[in-house]
Amino acid sequence: MASLGSDEWRAVCDKFSNAQNLTDVESRKDPENEPFRSKYKARELLREIYSSLKCFAAGDGEEERDGGEEDVFGQGVSGDSPAGLRAAKLGAVEYYLGVNHVDTEELSAGREHLMNGTKLLERCRVSSDNVSLFIHVRNQLGILWAGLDETETAQGFLETAESIYQRYMKEDGTPPTDMTEYFTTEEKLLTHQERTKRFELAYTHTMYYLAQVYKNLGQNERAATYCHSTLQRQLKLNQFSPMEWALNAATLSQYYITKGHYMEGRHCLSAATVISGLAGEVPSEAAAQESETESERREQLRQKRADIARCWIKYCLNLLQDAKKLLEDNIGELDTDRQEELKGARRREEEEEEKGRKNALLFGSEDTFDSIASLEEKVSCLIPLDFTAARAVFLVGQNYVTQAKDYFQMDGFVTDHIEILQDHSALFRALAFFEEDLERRCKMHKRRVDMLEPICNDLNTQYYLMIRRQLMFELAESYSEMMDLKLTLANRQADTQSLDSHTIKKFNHLCSASTKFFQMFLDSLCSPEGKFPEHLEEEVLRPALVARFRVARLHNRLISSTPSDQLDNLNKSLESYKYVVQYCEAHPEAAVVVETELELSKEMVGLLPLKINRLKARMATNN
Amino acid sequence: SQLAASGDSDSIKVFVRVRPLTQGTGLTTDGDQSLCLTVTSPNTIRLLSKPEPRTFTYDHVADMDTSQDSVFSSVAKNIVESCMNGYNGTIFAYGQTGSGKTFTMLGPSELDNFTDELRGVIPRSFEYLFFLINREVERSAQSKSFLCKCSFIEIYNEQIYDLLDTASASLFLRENIKKGVFVEGAVEKFVNSAAGAYQVLSMGWRNRRVASTSMNRESSRSHAVFTMTLESKESINDVVNIRMSQLNLVDLAGSERQKDTHTEGSRLKEASSINRSLMCLGQVIMALVDVSNGKNRHICYRDSKLTFLLRDSLGGNAKTYIIANVHPGSKCFGETLSTLQFAQRAKLIKNKAVINEDTQGNVR
C-alpha cells in the first residue's frame, strides 16, 4: 500500500474532525428551511475521506473475497494487521456515511453504507482495534431495521452485537480503539479510561435497543431484564441524570410488583430513593420565590420524589393484598390453617436459604450500595402472614402516603390527591383483614369512610364523574363491611330478635348509608334528564348490576319497626332483584358477567313474593 | 337531545375527510396528480398500499366534493346540541400540515364574513349554538338564561401559552375540586353572540401566527385549544337549576411533527452518543407495566398536557369527534397511512375503568 504521507494524513484527520463537528455541533444551528445543511456538508467531507483512503488502498492490489457468515473470532484477516486496520478505517467511514444518510432521512442509502461497513469487517477477526466499530455498526443496523418494521432482522443484528461484546470481554478485554481514533494523529489518542468508557457506552446502547426490540416483540420479561441491565450499566458507568434514573427504576419496580416479584421491586425502589437523593436538596420556598429556575427545580424535585413515594405505596399495598388473597377462605376471612401451613413453609425456606440473596441483578456503585441495602431492610419483601407483619408493611405504606400527599395536595392536584387517598383506604382495607378484634377492625373501615366521604360529596359531579363513581362504590362497601361487623358483634351477645334499640339504630344507619352510596352510583349513570340507561355500557355493566343486587340485599336486611315499613323494604328489594333478572334476560351478554349475583337474584325473585304475601296476611289479621 | 340521552356507547367518533388535490398553493404536493386512496363508501376508505390495498372503516368518510355544511351537520351539530343539554363536547382536527385542517375548522382564510359558504365547522358551531340559546331563552319565556365564556390557549413543547394574552408567561394546569382541570390564569372573555365568539377566536388565531414568527414557533407544531364554557341557569318556582358544559375545539399539531409514543409504532428510540441519558427508557418500561393489568401500580410519567386538559373529553360523559384530514396525493402516502392508523386507534381510547377491579363487589 502506498502509504499516506503525514501531510496527507493530517488533511484526512482534519476533514474528519471537521465532519464530526458539523454533525454534532453545527447541525443544531441549521435553519428550519434547510435543516440538513451541515449534515450534507459533513457527508461531502466523509466521501472525500473515503476516496482518499480507497485511492491509497487500491495501490495495494487487495483481493475481493466473498465473505459468508463467518465466526468473527475465527478465521479471516487479523483485526490488528495492516489489512485489517485498513478495512476498519474504510468500514468506519461507511458507518459514518450510513448514519449521516439515516439522519437526513435517506434510509435506503444509509442501509447500503452500513451494510458495506459490515461487509468490510466480515473479512476481519474481532480485535481491540475494530470491536467497537463492530458493535456500533450493528447498533445502527438494528435501529434501521426496526424502523422498517423488520423487528426480527433488527433483533439479529443487536444480538450479534451483544455476543461480540461478551466474547471480546471474555477473551481479550483490553480497552478497545474508539472509531474516532482511526482518524486522529498520534498525539490525540484517547486514554485507556476514555476508551473503556466509550466502548461500554456503545454496549449500553445495545442493551437499550434490545430492551425496545423485545418490548416490540411482546417479550416483556426479557425486555424488563434488558431495561434493568441498561439502568445498572448507566449507574456503573456513571452515565445518568439522578432524577431520571430514579424515576426509571421506580417505574421498573412497578413492573416487578405486578409480576409478584417483590424482592426485585423493593430493590428498584430502594435504589430509586437513594439515587434520587443524588439530585440534591430541594430548594427552599424562599429560594423558589427569588428565581424562576429555582422554583422550577423545586417543583420538579418535589414532584418526582412524591412520585417515587407513590410507587412505594403501591409496593406495600400489593404486598398486603397478595397476602390477603393468599390467606383468605371462601368467605373472605382469615384461614388460620392455611396461615399455619404457610408460616411453616416460610420457616423452612428461611433455614434453607439462610436469607441468601438469589442471584438477582443488583444496583449500586461502591458509594451507594450500602445505602440501598439499608433502605431495603426497612420493609419486608416477603408476603406478611400475620397481623404484626402486615402492620409493619402498612405503616411503611402509610408513611409514604404522608410524603406523597405533602406534594400532591388537594388544591391543585385533585386527581392525584384522591388516588393517594384511595390507596390509603385500600391499605386500611387490607390491614383490617388481619385484625382479629372486630371493634378495631370496624374502626379501620370507619377511617376509610372518614377520609373519602367528605371528598365524594364535594367533588364536582361532572368533571370528576369517574373518580366519584369509584368513591361511591368504595364507600358503599365500607359501610356495608361496618354493618356486617356490628351485626356479628351484636349477635355474639344476643340473637337478632332481641337486639337492643341502640344497636338496631346503628345497624340501620350503616345499612342505609351503604344503600345511599350504591344508589348514588346508580344515579350517576342516568342522563341529565334523570333517565336510567336501557343499555348499560360495557365498563359499567358489572358495577351497575352488582350495585342493584347489593341494594336489593340491603333493603332486605333493614330491621323495620313496623310491618308496613318492612313491607315497603321488601317490595323495594324485590324490585331491584327483578331488575337484575330482567336486565339479563333482555341482554344475555350480561348474564356471564354477574353469574353468581344473577343466580341468587333469581332465587330471591322466587322467594320474596311468598315472604311478602305472608307479611301481608299477617298484617291483615292483625288489623 | 334524544341522541344525547341514549346510551350510545361510542364516546369517540371519527370523521375522515379527504381534501381535493392542491393547485398552485406552493405546497410540495402541488401538481401531484396520482392518488393513493379512494373513498369506497360513506364510511370506508381504501388506501392503495402495496402489495395489498387496505381498507379502513370509520364513522364517516367524506370525499373531496363534500361541502362544509355537510361536515358541520355530521360532526358538530350533535355535539353542540349535547352541550346545550349539559354534556361536554370536543372536536379535534388531526392531520398532516396541508391536509385541510384549517379549511375544515375555520374556512378558506380567516374570514370575518359570516355568510361565506366556505366557512368552517367553528363559525357554524358558534352560529348554531347561539341559535339554540336564543331559541331556548324565548321558549322558556326568559326563565332560562345563558352565560358564555371563551378561552384560547396553545400548547407548544409541553408549555401552555395564553393566546388571548400574549404578554403572559407560560401557564400551569391545575385542578380544583369544583372547577376540574383548568389553566391557571388563562384569560376568559364573555361573549353573547356568534360574532363575538368568532372575534375572540380570530384574535387568538392571529396571535398564534404572530407568535410563530417572533419566537420562531411554527403554528403546526403547537396544539391550539379554544374552549367555550356554557352556563345555563333556570329558575322554576324559586329553585335555581345551574348547568355547565364545555365545548372544546382543538387544532392538533401537524401529525408529521408528532413524535409521541402513540403515533410512532415500532421505531426504536435512539440514544445519540453525546446524550448522557437514555431519555426514553422510561417509556419502554412504562409500556411493560401498562400491559399487566389488574394490579395496583403507579406510573411516574405524567400525561401530556393536552390529554390531561381534555381528559374529560376522552370517554366518560363527553361527546367527542375527531376529524382526520388526509391528502389524497400519492406523495403523502406515508403520512396518510399514519393519520388513518391514528384515527383508528383513537376509537379505542377510553377513560380508565370505572370501578377498580377489587371493589367490584363480590357476593358475601
Side-chain angles (χ1 to χ4, degrees):
Chain A
M1 171 176 163
S3 63
L4 283 166
S6 67
D7 283 350
E8 286 164 302
W9 182 243
R10 199 170 287 277
V12 167
C13 294
D14 285 347
K15 269 181 194 164
F16 180 78
S17 68
N18 205 347
Q20 292 281 83
N21 184 49
L22 281 165
T23 308
D24 298 337
V25 184
E26 289 299 317
S27 68
R28 294 199 215 166
K29 299 177 215 151
D30 285 344
E32 285 277 290
N33 53 356
E34 272 181 283
F36 301 135
R37 193 168 67 187
S38 307
K39 296 225 164 141
Y40 292 146
K41 281 189 199 157
R43 183 189 295 180
E44 283 319 306
L45 292 173
L46 289 167
R47 280 188 179 146
E48 287 172 25
I49 295 171
Y50 188 83
S51 39
S52 324
L53 288 175
K54 201 71 186 169
C55 169
F56 286 99
D60 211 25
E62 77 186 82
E63 291 161 34
E64 286 293 326
R65 241 183 69 177
D66 282 329
E69 258 312 299
E70 281 173 34
D71 181 356
V72 290
F73 285 88
Q75 318 133 340
V77 185
S78 157
D80 46 12
S81 67
L85 210 54
R86 201 159 53 239
K89 282 180 185 172
L90 279 172
V93 181
E94 292 280 14
Y95 165 83
Y96 284 115
L97 278 169
V99 173
N100 180 288
H101 281 85
V102 171
D103 285 348
T104 54
E105 292 162 12
E106 292 167 53
L107 295 188
S108 40
R111 188 172 71 204
E112 212 167 295
H113 282 294
L114 289 168
M115 286 312 289
N116 288 343
T118 53
K119 277 211 192 93
L120 283 162
L121 288 174
E122 261 165 24
R123 291 188 233 124
C124 306
R125 283 203 300 275
V126 169
S127 75
S128 71
D129 271 329
N130 63 23
V131 64
S132 174
L133 178 61
F134 260 102
I135 289 176
H136 275 287
V137 171
R138 284 180 170 78
N139 278 354
Q140 284 301 324
L141 283 166
I143 295 169
L144 197 70
W145 284 104
L148 299 170
D149 261 336
E150 300 264 354
T151 315
E152 275 90 0
T153 316
Q155 182 189 2
F157 281 112
L158 292 168
E159 283 175 353
T160 310
E162 184 184 21
S163 63
I164 289 173
Y165 170 87
Q166 277 163 354
R167 194 150 161 202
Y168 175 78
M169 290 312 277
K170 210 169 107 198
E171 294 181 2
D172 186 330
T174 52
T177 311
D178 187 68
M179 287 139 60
T180 56
E181 291 181 276
Y182 295 154
F183 308 102
T184 45
T185 41
E186 288 286 328
E187 65 274 14
K188 284 189 189 161
L189 291 178
L190 300 171
T191 61
H192 279 194
Q193 202 186 5
E194 183 62 23
R195 282 183 169 184
T196 307
K197 200 178 118 189
R198 293 195 186 186
F199 182 56
E200 294 295 333
L201 191 60
Y203 180 63
T204 307
H205 287 173
T206 308
M207 300 276 94
Y208 168 62
Y209 299 136
L210 274 171
Q212 298 178 64
V213 162
Y214 291 137
K215 185 210 85 187
N216 289 344
L217 288 170
Q219 302 180 18
N220 285 351
E221 203 177 324
R222 237 173 149 184
T225 309
Y226 279 81
C227 286
H228 197 129
S229 304
T230 308
L231 286 173
Q232 192 185 16
R233 294 183 57 83
Q234 281 185 283
L235 203 58
K236 216 172 88 193
L237 298 170
N238 199 17
Q239 296 277 331
F240 64 97
S241 87
M243 259 313 168
E244 193 187 303
W245 192 96
L247 280 194
N248 285 342
T251 308
L252 187 59
S253 78
Q254 304 297 289
Y255 169 80
Y256 285 126
I257 64 171
T258 56
K259 297 280 169 211
H261 302 324
Y262 289 104
M263 189 173 75
E264 288 84 350
R266 182 180 68 171
H267 186 64
C268 287
L269 282 169
S270 305
T273 302
V274 169
I275 301 299
S276 80
L278 302 181
E281 291 286 313
V282 176
S284 68
E285 215 167 337
Q289 265 160 8
E290 290 285 301
S291 102
E292 205 169 303
T293 18
E294 285 299 280
S295 136
E296 210 162 275
R297 213 173 96 80
R298 178 180 154 85
E299 181 78 9
Q300 287 284 323
L301 288 177
R302 290 185 70 213
Q303 184 197 311
K304 287 173 177 168
R305 286 183 181 152
D307 267 322
I308 295 170
R310 291 178 70 181
C311 288
W312 272 113
I313 299 173
K314 298 291 186 189
Y315 171 87
C316 297
L317 183 56
N318 280 289
L319 200 56
L320 285 174
Q321 286 176 340
D322 274 0
K324 178 169 180 266
K325 261 180 227 148
L326 204 61
L327 289 167
E328 72 189 349
D329 59 17
N330 54 9
I331 57 159
E333 288 295 323
L334 185 71
D335 184 334
T336 45
D337 292 343
R338 180 125 185 81
Q339 187 180 29
E340 281 315 309
E341 189 185 309
L342 287 169
K343 278 187 169 176
R346 171 76 48 87
R347 275 193 296 275
R348 283 192 296 280
E349 261 172 44
E350 277 172 4
E351 280 159 22
E352 274 164 33
E353 287 186 19
E354 292 176 342
K355 292 189 178 173
R357 281 180 173 282
K358 289 171 196 151
N359 42 0
L361 292 154
L362 293 183
F363 289 130
S365 59
E366 273 171 38
D367 301 334
T368 55
F369 192 85
D370 289 344
S371 334
I372 294 174
S374 73
L375 194 59
E376 281 185 287
E377 278 166 24
K378 297 205 165 114
V379 57
S380 167
C381 68
L382 298 173
I383 285 179
L385 296 176
D386 55 27
F387 181 76
T388 318
R391 185 168 171 274
V393 176
F394 171 86
L395 288 175
V396 172
Q398 184 165 254
N399 188 28
Y400 283 114
V401 166
T402 315
Q403 277 186 37
K405 276 203 297 195
D406 184 47
Y407 177 75
F408 291 112
Q409 289 175 9
M410 183 65 100
D411 185 27
F413 299 96
V414 177
T415 311
D416 291 290
H417 186 87
I418 294 175
E419 278 169 9
I420 296 165
L421 289 181
Q422 284 176 307
D423 283 345
H424 197 186
S425 165
L427 281 169
F428 266 116
R429 184 168 184 251
L431 179 67
F433 169 79
F434 290 92
E435 177 56 82
E436 283 165 40
D437 181 337
L438 298 192
E439 273 297 347
R440 283 174 46 179
R441 201 194 283 189
C442 203
K443 283 194 181 118
M444 290 179 188
H445 291 300
K446 183 73 169 65
R447 287 287 302 273
R448 299 172 63 202
V449 166
D450 289 346
M451 66 174 84
L452 300 179
E453 189 164 0
I455 291 160
C456 183
N457 294 333
D458 277 356
L459 271 182
N460 180 309
T461 320
Q462 196 171 9
Y463 298 122
Y464 294 104
L465 180 73
M466 299 296 162
I467 292 180
R468 280 192 79 228
R469 282 182 184 165
Q470 293 178 354
L471 294 179
M472 290 165 192
F473 225 90
E474 189 156 350
L475 282 164
E477 300 220 303
S478 310
Y479 273 119
S480 186
E481 252 166 295
M482 287 170 71
M483 179 188 83
D484 287 336
L485 289 167
K486 282 283 169 222
L487 193 67
T488 315
L489 278 167
N491 281 341
R492 280 188 187 166
Q493 278 128 25
D495 55 74
T496 325
Q497 265 70 38
S498 52
L499 291 179
D500 64 75
S501 68
H502 175 74
T503 310
I504 291 178
K505 213 174 139 196
K506 182 92 198 162
F507 175 84
N508 278 349
H509 164 73
L510 294 169
C511 190
S512 312
S514 181
T515 315
K516 181 182 97 185
F517 282 107
F518 276 126
Q519 194 57 53
M520 238 163 113
F521 171 76
L522 290 167
D523 292 344
S524 82
L525 302 174
C526 295
S527 72
E529 288 75 29
K531 210 170 130 262
F532 196 77
E534 273 164 35
H535 176 84
L536 293 163
E537 285 180 35
E538 197 192 329
E539 61 265 34
V540 295
L541 181 61
R542 176 165 165 82
L545 291 175
V546 168
R548 247 350 222 278
F549 172 78
R550 297 287 290 272
V551 165
R553 303 229 310 174
L554 290 164
H555 276 303
N556 198 7
R557 293 186 71 183
L558 268 175
I559 302 170
S560 325
S561 48
T562 66
S564 66
D565 280 352
Q566 198 190 353
L567 186 65
D568 202 31
N569 288 331
L570 288 178
N571 277 324
K572 279 185 188 153
S573 176
L574 179 61
E575 199 186 312
S576 290
Y577 280 126
K578 270 188 182 159
Y579 175 86
V580 176
V581 176
Q582 282 162 359
Y583 188 88
C584 292
E585 270 166 14
H587 305 87
E589 77 280 2
V592 219
V593 187
V594 286
E595 217 172 337
T596 329
E597 289 83 359
L598 178 60
E599 200 183 309
L600 287 167
S601 299
K602 278 182 183 161
E603 212 172 295
M604 292 308 283
V605 170
L607 290 173
L608 269 183
L610 298 176
K611 197 170 172 186
I612 290 172
N613 286 338
R614 239 182 291 140
L615 181 66
K616 275 186 183 161
R618 212 167 53 229
M619 282 165 73
T621 40
N622 287 353
N623 277 345
Chain B
S1 71
Q2 256 244 304
L3 204 141
S6 80
D8 86 271
S9 56
D10 282 331
S11 44
I12 298 185
K13 292 200 182 292
V14 178
F15 184 101
V16 174
R17 186 183 202 189
V18 182
R19 70 161 295 160
L21 286 165
T22 31
Q23 288 292 321
T25 54
L27 288 172
T28 49
T29 47
D30 254 14
D32 174 15
Q33 288 306 313
S34 49
L35 301 183
C36 67
L37 55 83
T38 46
V39 176
T40 40
S41 86
N43 57 7
T44 52
I45 192 165
R46 182 187 292 144
L47 189 67
L48 307 171
S49 50
K50 280 168 191 146
E52 293 273 292
R54 292 175 62 177
T55 298
F56 294 85
T57 305
Y58 303 97
D59 295 288
H60 201 108
V61 177
D63 211 345
M64 299 182 211
D65 53 3
T66 309
S67 73
Q68 294 283 67
D69 186 53
S70 96
V71 176
F72 166 76
S73 303
S74 359
V75 173
K77 221 168 167 217
N78 284 329
I79 291 192
V80 174
E81 284 164 6
S82 301
C83 274
M84 290 295 292
N85 291 313
Y87 280 97
N88 292 343
T90 301
I91 301 169
F92 288 100
Y94 182 84
Q96 87 180 99
T97 305
S99 62
K101 276 186 298 174
T102 309
F103 178 79
T104 302
M105 296 302 274
L106 284 178
S109 61
E110 291 134 69
L111 314 150
D112 288 317
N113 177 8
F114 257 81
T115 50
D116 197 297
E117 250 324 289
L118 292 178
R119 67 195 187 280
V121 166
I122 293 176
R124 284 170 200 268
S125 300
F126 291 159
E127 286 157 36
Y128 190 53
L129 182 69
F130 280 97
F131 163 75
L132 293 175
I133 289 176
N134 292 335
R135 198 179 65 180
E136 277 292 301
V137 173
E138 246 168 64
R139 273 192 191 165
S140 70
Q142 309 294 323
S143 74
K144 226 176 186 181
S145 65
F146 290 86
L147 194 63
C148 264
K149 286 181 290 189
C150 302
S151 69
F152 200 8
I153 57 124
E154 179 183 40
I155 303 176
Y156 176 74
N157 267 349
E158 287 297 292
Q159 301 263 50
I160 302 176
Y161 302 93
D162 194 341
L163 288 170
L164 302 182
D165 175 16
T166 45
S168 75
S170 73
L171 303 174
F172 289 102
L173 275 181
R174 306 271 291 176
E175 271 184 292
N176 176 288
I177 199 161
K178 292 289 175 209
K179 284 164 75 179
V181 182
F182 65 100
V183 180
E184 195 175 40
V187 169
E188 290 186 306
K189 300 242 188 231
F190 288 93
V191 292
N192 51 23
S193 68
Y198 198 72
Q199 212 180 356
V200 174
L201 178 90
S202 27
M203 188 181 99
W205 201 272
R206 271 197 296 275
N207 285 335
R208 200 181 171 195
R209 297 218 310 194
V210 169
S212 72
T213 54
S214 70
M215 290 175 67
N216 196 25
R217 285 194 275 149
E218 262 183 58
S219 67
S220 69
R221 286 194 175 185
S222 74
H223 307 297
V225 183
F226 183 88
T227 304
M228 186 181 258
T229 312
L230 184 66
E231 191 181 312
S232 73
K233 205 190 250 178
E234 190 175 15
S235 348
I236 310 164
N237 308 329
D238 291 340
V239 181
V240 182
N241 197 356
I242 294 178
R243 242 185 218 181
M244 293 264 273
S245 57
Q246 272 187 356
L247 179 62
N248 298 305
L249 302 161
V250 186
D251 185 25
L252 292 171
S255 51
E256 72 281 8
R257 302 277 190 215
Q258 304 211 330
K259 293 279 182 234
D260 65 307
T261 35
H262 297 295
T263 56
E264 250 188 310
S266 58
R267 288 191 54 181
L268 300 194
K269 310 262 182 202
E270 285 181 56
S272 78
S273 49
I274 37 167
N275 202 352
R276 287 220 316 152
S277 54
L278 308 176
M279 290 295 271
C280 304
L281 184 66
Q283 250 132 36
V284 180
I285 306 174
M286 197 166 88
L288 300 179
V289 185
D290 260 352
V291 180
S292 40
N293 279 320
K295 285 259 188 168
N296 244 303
R297 81 244 185 309
H298 176 68
I299 299 288
C300 299
Y301 301 88
R302 326 244 96 209
D303 280 341
S304 81
K305 294 275 189 328
L306 183 73
T307 32
F308 192 70
L309 179 65
L310 299 172
R311 199 171 34 175
D312 203 48
S313 311
L314 303 171
N317 55 347
K319 304 283 163 194
T320 302
Y321 235 115
I322 293 176
I323 304 178
N325 286 95
V326 292
H327 193 292
S330 49
K331 275 190 189 165
C332 298
F333 175 81
E335 281 307 329
T336 297
L337 174 63
S338 90
T339 302
L340 292 175
Q341 282 171 333
F342 171 86
Q344 211 158 50
R345 278 198 299 272
K347 297 270 313 165
L348 304 173
I349 301 172
K350 284 219 165 152
N351 255 349
K352 60 184 166 194
V354 180
I355 300 295
N356 295 328
E357 190 63 39
D358 67 322
T359 48
Q360 288 225 343
N362 296 315
V363 187
R364 254 181 237 150

